[in-house]
Amino acid sequence: NDVKSKNLSSCGGAANLISLPFSYNTMSTDTPPCPPLLRGIRSALGPTLLTQILQSKILLVGSGGIGCELLKNLALSGFRNVDVIDLDTIDVSNLNRQFLFRSQHVGMPKCVVASEAALKMVPPPLPSSQEDTMGAKYTPYHGNVCDNSKFNVPYVQKFDLVLNALDNIAARRRVNRLCLAANVPLVEAGTSGYLGQVTVIDKSSNTECYEDSK
């Protein structure tokens, strides 16, 4: 329900009053309803960009330390269509920093558990809706991104954006080349030992690619 305008006096009891009209449901009469947890994003980015977020298709490669953080951020930001590739299974040593995993998940594929956990974080469309995830789909692929029979240029071309979250240099080079060939922007993030880095690689913008930077 709309909250009626309220007059708020200052703490000192001064006579000056401030009228603050606002609504919990919509920003204005011509703005479509928005999932409650995404109103901040709509206010900051605008309804057009929020619609693009809701409709975009994202590929995440890696669901370990960086991947868990990215999946959480993607879900809470409203991204509803995400594929996740990872060949690893969960080890006890992962539990202290990869927060989507619990002890009962040890031995299970990281991408499967992480995708299920992230899907539960996707904001519901509206408070009264029974469809809590608004058609959200987080699809895990337990496999090696270097497998060209599955993960090739036509596969990558289906996505609007690719996110790397890897600690394997050969796999990072592979994804870099796939994205260049498919002309799909890549946010390259990864670790090597105690070092971490992130950069945007976009062929159409003539930015430096991962292998150029090495």
Side-chain angles (χ1 to χ4, degrees), residues 101-135:
F101 309 140
R102 300 293 183 267
S103 58
Q104 66 266 27
H105 299 140
V106 171
M108 298 175 64
K110 288 184 177 181
C111 59
V112 173
V113 177
S115 295
E116 291 176 353
L119 187 60
K120 296 176 182 178
M121 300 180 187
V122 177
L126 291 171
S128 60
S129 174
Q130 299 300 315
E131 181 59 42
D132 288 343
T133 57
M134 200 169 76

Side-chain angles (χ1 to χ4, degrees), residues 44-59:
L45 302 179
T48 300
L49 281 180
L50 177 59
T51 298
Q52 291 178 348
I53 287 174
L54 295 173
Q55 297 177 349
S56 63
K57 187 172 177 62
I58 306 296
L59 172 61

